[in-house]
């Protein structure tokens, strides 16, 4: 596994390299510009990111990095964040938050945890995870219920066509299966889109698949 | 140091499976006070209130008992019975918001079932294999407002939250478009 070390601080880089010695191959970047280039080109498994890296603009830059290399696990090193900021960083997808003066022995533990697919997160933040989970689940259930209510407005035939669309069937195939014309299928779809407040069959397929999955 | 009041609710458990938790709590000194149904004065009115009512559902009976005992933490001895547990957790959030729930689960529980129970408001979980566990540490952490979940579960929950947040963001973009 390749680990990309992004910092312009020589002491920090040295501690990281010491901690990772024999565990993984490493490469380094000393600015945000070179980091983005290496991230795209090398696709490292893990990125150690110094929050004081030249060119890094807080949360926005980290969001950018996550979008550039979705599979790379990002671990941030900083002097310490307030809970709210650290929580926001985890919510956009970072995998760990460490103090910038972590010693090699601690770096070893971090890499062990992150490699196992776990998070390096303070215990005091885990309660937020559960609270957020409750909130997200409530919201998801609310949306599913709203969609179910909308689906109840569909006629039996419209529902049938919506289910066939979710299987990926074309208008022609649906017409053949239901022994109706393609024009009638299109008319039904127009009515389905209107009732569900959506604009295309891809969204319809996604909605139907979610409904099937949750029921 | 003040003691933390704890009550136990058994969901689909037989009597034998209740014992380890009770024993464990009794061996944790003065830090944890286990609340039970026995009335100290033997008053008939109290005895009657302790009785499970057949005309009420399991959840209604459990909530009535939790309200009566008013513990800071309720241990839900769930084993693998998740649906009733989820119903009870939702009712608990609504009717006893100051009582925190900690699940005692079977090690073979389905991961999705466990996530479902946590999404219904449980503040953490421990497995039935409790012998090596410092239970007072768990209860104290929950009482302090922390969660008690394993590191591996934390990552899975976070993954669910991040994915959910992205879905909402996409849905908002769609609806705005």
């Amino acid at each position: 596994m390749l680990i990309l070390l992004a910092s312009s601080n020589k002491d920090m880089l040295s501690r990281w390299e010491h901690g990772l010695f024999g565990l993984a191959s490493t490469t380094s970047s000393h600015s945000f510009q070179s980091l983005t280039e290496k991230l795209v080109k090398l696709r490292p498994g893990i990125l150690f990111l110094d929050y004081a890296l030249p060119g890094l603009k807080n949360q926005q830059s980290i969001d950018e990095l996550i979008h550039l290399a979705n599979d790379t696990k990002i671990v941030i090193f900083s002097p310490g964040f307030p809970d709210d900021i650290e929580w926001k960083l985890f919510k956009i997808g970072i995998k760990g938050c460490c103090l910038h003066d972590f010693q090699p022995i601690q770096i070893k533990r971090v890499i062990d945890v992150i490699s196992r697919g776990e998070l390096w997160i303070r215990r005091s933040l885990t309660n937020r995870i559960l609270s957020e989970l409750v909130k997200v689940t409530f919201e998801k259930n609310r949306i599913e219920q709203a969609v179910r209510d909308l689906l109840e407005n569909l006629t039996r035939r419209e529902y049938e066509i919506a289910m066939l669309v979710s299987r990926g069937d074309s208008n022609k195939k649906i017409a053949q299966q239901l022994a109706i014309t393609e024009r009638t299928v299109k008319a039904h779809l127009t009515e389905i889109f209107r009732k569900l407040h959506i604009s295309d069959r891809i969204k319809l397929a996604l909605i139907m698949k979610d409904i099937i999955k949750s029921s | 140091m003040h003691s933390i009041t704890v009550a136990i609710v058994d969901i689909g458990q037989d009597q034998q499976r209740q014992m380890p938790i009770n024993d464990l709590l009794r061996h944790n000194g003065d830090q944890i006070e286990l609340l039970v149904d026995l009335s100290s004065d033997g008053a008939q009115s109290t005895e009657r209130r302790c009785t499970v009512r057949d005309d009420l559902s399991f959840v209604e009976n459990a909530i009535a008992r939790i309200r009566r005992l008013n513990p800071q933490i309720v241990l839900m001895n769930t084993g693998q019975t998740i649906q009733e547990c989820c119903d009870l957790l939702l009712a608990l959030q609504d009717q006893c918001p100051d009582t925190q729930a900690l699940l005692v689960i079977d090690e073979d529980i389905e991961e999705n079932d466990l996530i479902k129970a946590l999404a219904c408001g449980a503040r953490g979980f421990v497995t039935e294999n409790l012998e090596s566990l410092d239970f007072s540490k768990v209860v104290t952490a929950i009482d302090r407002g922390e969660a008690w979940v394993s590191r591996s579960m934390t990552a899975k929950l976070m993954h669910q939250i991040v994915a959910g947040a992205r879905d909402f963001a996409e849905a908002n973009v769609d609806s705005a478009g």
Side-chain angles (χ1 to χ4, degrees):
Chain A
M1 178 178 55
L2 178 67
I3 301 181
L4 178 51
L5 310 176
S7 176
S8 61
N9 181 323
K10 283 180 184 166
D11 287 342
M12 191 182 275
L13 282 169
S14 162
R15 282 196 303 274
W16 288 352
E17 279 166 359
H18 191 180
L20 296 169
F21 183 74
L23 296 176
S25 53
T26 61
T27 182
S28 55
S29 288
H30 309 299
S31 71
F32 189 73
Q33 176 67 33
S34 80
L35 166 62
T36 53
E37 287 164 12
K38 282 195 176 177
L39 202 57
V40 173
K41 194 176 164 193
L42 302 173
R43 298 267 158 188
I46 296 174
L47 164 65
F48 274 11
L49 178 61
D50 177 2
Y51 204 63
L53 181 74
L56 190 143
K57 291 175 198 150
N58 308 329
Q59 195 181 318
Q60 191 191 334
S61 302
I62 292 163
D63 212 9
E64 193 183 323
L65 295 175
I66 287 168
H67 281 94
L68 276 177
N70 204 18
D71 294 335
T72 301
K73 294 169 178 168
I74 301 179
V75 181
I76 294 176
F77 289 75
S78 77
F81 295 117
D83 279 4
D84 282 344
I85 293 184
E86 192 165 326
W87 175 239
K88 273 184 191 163
L89 291 171
F90 275 102
K91 270 183 80 176
I92 62 171
I94 68 155
K95 302 299 179 194
C97 232
C98 307
L99 289 175
H100 62 168
D101 56 359
F102 261 25
Q103 297 304 305
I105 185 85
Q106 292 166 300
I107 298 294
K108 273 195 175 72
R109 283 192 58 210
V110 171
I111 211 69
D112 184 40
V113 164
I114 299 294
S115 303
R116 283 202 305 261
E118 297 173 1
L119 301 179
W120 189 272
I121 188 168
R122 282 186 281 143
R123 182 169 279 285
S124 59
L125 284 179
T126 53
N127 202 37
R128 290 200 185 206
I129 294 181
L130 288 184
S131 301
E132 189 73 14
L133 179 73
V134 170
K135 212 168 92 184
V136 166
T137 307
F138 176 81
E139 189 63 12
K140 198 176 158 208
N141 292 343
R142 193 185 63 78
I143 290 170
E144 278 176 8
Q145 187 55 50
V147 171
R148 276 200 196 93
D149 291 346
L150 287 174
L151 284 174
E152 279 182 10
N153 293 330
L154 301 185
T155 63
R156 192 186 59 81
R157 183 59 113 188
E158 286 164 353
Y159 192 84
E160 205 172 5
I161 290 171
M163 291 299 283
L164 292 171
V165 167
S166 76
R167 283 182 2 190
D169 290 356
S170 65
N171 286 358
K172 191 176 175 184
K173 198 171 171 192
I174 294 170
Q176 282 168 352
Q177 282 183 74
L178 301 180
I180 55 178
T181 65
E182 260 188 86
R183 199 172 158 186
T184 307
V185 173
K186 277 183 191 166
H188 278 306
L189 278 173
T190 305
E191 193 56 14
I192 292 168
F193 294 161
R194 188 188 67 76
K195 286 181 177 175
L196 298 183
H197 310 297
I198 54 174
S199 54
D200 59 64
R201 64 197 300 132
I202 295 170
K203 286 196 185 85
L204 175 60
L206 291 173
I207 286 174
M208 297 309 288
K209 276 181 178 160
D210 276 351
I211 290 294
I212 294 163
K213 205 170 131 191
S214 66
S215 58
Chain B
M1 187 187 286
H2 77 290
S3 60
I4 300 164
T5 52
V6 173
I8 296 171
V9 174
D10 289 292
I11 304 171
Q13 303 289 315
D14 56 38
Q15 289 294 314
Q16 279 186 331
R17 290 178 88 171
Q18 294 174 28
M19 291 306 289
I21 300 175
N22 289 345
D23 286 348
L24 193 84
L25 288 170
R26 287 193 183 110
H27 286 98
N28 270 278
D30 298 332
Q31 208 169 359
I32 301 171
E33 184 188 348
L34 178 63
L35 304 178
V36 292
D37 290 320
L38 300 173
S39 61
S40 55
D41 58 358
Q44 211 173 8
S45 59
T46 312
E47 293 285 356
R48 191 171 61 240
R49 282 198 296 147
C50 293
T51 309
V52 172
R53 286 175 55 182
D54 292 337
D55 58 330
L56 296 181
S57 68
F58 162 76
V59 170
E60 288 168 325
N61 268 312
I63 288 291
R65 181 168 170 265
I66 293 166
R67 290 176 86 154
R68 178 163 37 80
L69 295 173
N70 193 24
Q72 285 158 284
I73 295 172
V74 61
L75 293 184
M76 291 191 185
N77 196 10
T78 59
Q80 291 199 3
T81 321
I82 286 301
Q83 192 50 56
E84 273 186 327
C85 173
C86 288
D87 293 343
L88 180 55
L89 284 164
L90 292 173
L92 190 71
Q93 268 192 330
D94 186 47
Q95 295 183 46
C96 313
D98 295 332
T99 298
Q100 308 294 321
L102 176 67
L103 306 175
V104 182
I105 56 161
D106 188 307
E107 276 181 344
D108 297 329
I109 192 170
E110 289 283 333
E111 194 174 273
N112 284 344
D113 284 344
L114 181 54
I115 292 175
K116 199 173 159 192
L118 293 170
C120 287
R123 303 318 291 173
F125 64 91
V126 292
T127 61
E128 285 178 327
N129 184 15
L130 299 166
E131 282 170 16
S132 59
L133 190 71
D134 182 350
F135 211 80
S136 59
K137 198 175 161 188
V138 181
V139 168
T140 308
I142 298 282
D143 185 54
R144 267 204 308 266
E146 292 176 9
W148 195 271
V149 288
S150 62
R151 237 185 226 285
S152 58
M153 182 52 75
T154 302
K156 281 163 193 157
L157 299 179
M158 200 65 221
H159 179 76
Q160 194 129 327
I161 290 166
V162 171
R166 280 185 193 148
D167 285 349
F168 291 143
E170 280 167 19
N172 285 336
V173 169
D174 286 348
S175 59

